[in-house]
Amino acid sequence: MGRSSRSSASSSLSSSKWRYCNPAYYLKRPKRLALLFFVFVCASFLVWDRQTLVREHEVEVDKLSEDVNQLKMMLEELKSTHGDEDSSVRGKSKLTSKVIPDDPVDIHRREKVKDAMIHAWSSYEKYAWGHDELQPQTKDGVDSFGGLGATLIDSLDTLYIMGLDEQFQRAREWVATSLDFNKDYDASVFETTIRVVGGLLSAYDLSGDKVFLDKAKDIADRLLPAWDTPTGIPYNIINLENGNPHNPGWTGGSSILADSGTEQLEFFALSQRTGDPKYHQKAERVILELNKTFPADGLLPIYISPDSGTGSSSTITFGAMGDSFYEYLLKVWIQGSKTGAVKLYRDMWEKSMKGLVSLVRRSTPSSFTYICEKSGDWLTDKMDELACFAPGMLALGSAGYEPAESERILSLAEELAWTCYNFYQSTPTKLAGENYFFRSGEDMSVGTSWNILRPETVESLFYLWRLTGNKTYQEWGWNIFQAFEKNSRVEGGYVGLKDVNTGIKDNMMQSFFLAETLKYLYLLFSPTSVISLDEWVFNTEAHPLRIVKHQDEQMNAQTEDKITRLRGRKEGQW
Ligand code: DMJ
């Protein structure tokens, strides 16, 4: 084939390829035109249908995620009310943790509290690492608790909850490698239990790291001989190295009520986690002993004889030296899942709350509600800031009453919280003094005027906000936080005030500022699912301990039993 015939063949091929695009081609062939039209209609329908389907799916997906969210909320609510389903659970009231959505103001505020924690912690790391407490003005450490790293241990769970992972890991390494309890030091059984045993157990419950449990067991074993008294009511001081216990000279040989009745949560938790009942037995015997002579109003004097188990004619108070005994009666009931096994604790607590109500008075002219102290038949119109844990305790316990009583107790809690908030608002620095007197016609006036960064009021605001959902409590907490920022923040950490009227600073960053004050403030601005009150119970140093449900306990016991049997069988015992 020649060059010209090849090119004419290729041009006729290409013209035959393009002829389908020429409309004239179809005008001559009506059947093909009809076929083309049919194909076009079908294709358009398919595309349109797909788009409609996608749109419908999107709507469906939106609806489903809305449903999922609603279900999540319902699940949260169900979880909150779960305790009420157990037939052995006392109480009918439906007051439980409210599900409160997060909002931008809360997020901003908890970031500010977290900044405060970072400042407090990094100052401690820099100037007092491994010591019990930091002196921010002189930038050095002091060992007020025998050199057990009290601030470090007290801070573990706060660091963990705030997501300060690197700081938590550094602290964990110190616990694993440098924490040594073998000290020739006369330690307070109470302070060591609430800060060290409680702090370590909480770190264990949150992280699952066994190093914390082993250390908690080590220190608790060193404290145990303190309970070897004729009644089982412990001596309040013990030497950590040689195990010699005694009571402080200034109590005249007596044990202090709060110091003796504030180990139950930690020791019960330790028995649950180690499977060794000895801690539970020692701590429970104290309550059984006190119950033998427990008065109808449930109020005990602050000095108790470890020999006879009875109280001397000393002060009755919800402030210093009495406070956490009453707190633990309620919290053991919660820790024990409100079952029959812990009913005695709830009964004793309710009696004590009758006693508390009998001490309540109102000031003039502004009608602030306060709790008096009592000596014999004599009431003193004085209330410690320490007693400001009571509004939170009452709110927490109100759920176990019948609805009408529950409301009365909750409203008393709210009135007392208002008074405690005014302990702060009534001073020039907006920080509360250590105690207040109520004189006729003068409302409240500050007595001892220092502020050592205590947590009790913000603790109560945290409970009230969680249980009522009333954002006013968040506002009050925010105001208190700002007063701490203004008066207590210094370059080397946070300090207390020698006088809330003048604002003169002291030189001590108390370990409970990091354990309690900042933790409760952070949780006040966090979603309710962060350390849910249905799953955790706080010890008196704000260390959350996981509530081990009754059912789980039974299952654990059954598993243990099976393991023992299997082991026995393996060893050919049966
Ligand atoms: C803490 O150690 C505990 O809250 C204790 O129960 C009372 N005192 C301090 C805080 O003020």
Side-chain angles (χ1 to χ4, degrees), residues 190-191 194-195 323-324 386 454-456 512 516 540-541:
F190 164 76
E191 298 290 359
I194 65 169
R195 293 176 205 234
D323 48 9
S324 45
L386 279 165
R454 287 198 191 277
E456 290 73 18
F512 52 66
E516 299 193 69
T540 193
E541 189 78 359

Side-chain angles (χ1 to χ4, degrees), residues 369-529:
T369 305
Y370 60 95
I371 310 170
C372 292
E373 297 185 348
K374 191 176 180 183
S375 289
D377 288 335
W378 186 257
L379 291 194
T380 313
D381 299 280
K382 167 184 171 265
M383 181 171 164
D384 288 347
E385 195 281 338
L386 279 165
C388 286
F389 81 98
M393 172 186 69
L394 288 164
L396 186 63
S398 66
Y401 289 106
E402 296 293 330
E405 185 60 3
S406 169
E407 242 174 68
R408 262 195 298 276
I409 292 290
L410 183 62
S411 114
L412 173 61
E414 300 203 83
E415 286 177 37
L416 287 167
W418 171 239
T419 304
C420 290
Y421 177 58
N422 277 278
F423 285 173
Y424 285 75
Q425 288 308 295
S426 59
T427 75
T429 53
K430 306 279 178 239
L431 287 177
E434 182 71 355
N435 54 46
Y436 284 80
F437 289 91
F438 294 84
R439 296 187 188 91
S440 177
E442 291 176 22
D443 284 329
M444 59 182 72
S445 52
V446 67
T448 306
S449 64
W450 68 58
N451 176 297
I452 57 168
L453 306 166
R454 287 198 191 277
E456 290 73 18
T457 300
V458 291
E459 169 183 351
S460 283
L461 298 180
F462 157 74
Y463 281 111
L464 279 162
W465 173 71
R466 279 267 173 117
L467 297 164
T468 65
N470 183 346
K471 288 180 94 63
T472 302
Y473 298 117
Q474 288 184 308
E475 294 307 315
W476 294 357
W478 180 243
N479 293 340
I480 292 175
F481 174 68
Q482 284 179 309
F484 279 128
E485 286 293 282
K486 192 165 166 213
N487 296 282
S488 295
R489 188 175 175 131
V490 293
E491 197 243 315
Y494 284 84
V495 292
L497 300 185
K498 287 181 180 164
D499 185 345
V500 291
N501 296 307
T502 61
I504 294 172
K505 296 172 179 21
D506 71 14
N507 184 25
M508 181 65 81
M509 186 171 80
Q510 304 280 341
S511 82
F512 52 66
F513 182 63
L514 293 86
E516 299 193 69
T517 313
L518 292 179
K519 187 187 288 135
Y520 283 129
L521 281 166
Y522 182 79
L523 292 173
L524 183 63
F525 304 116
S526 297
T528 52
S529 54

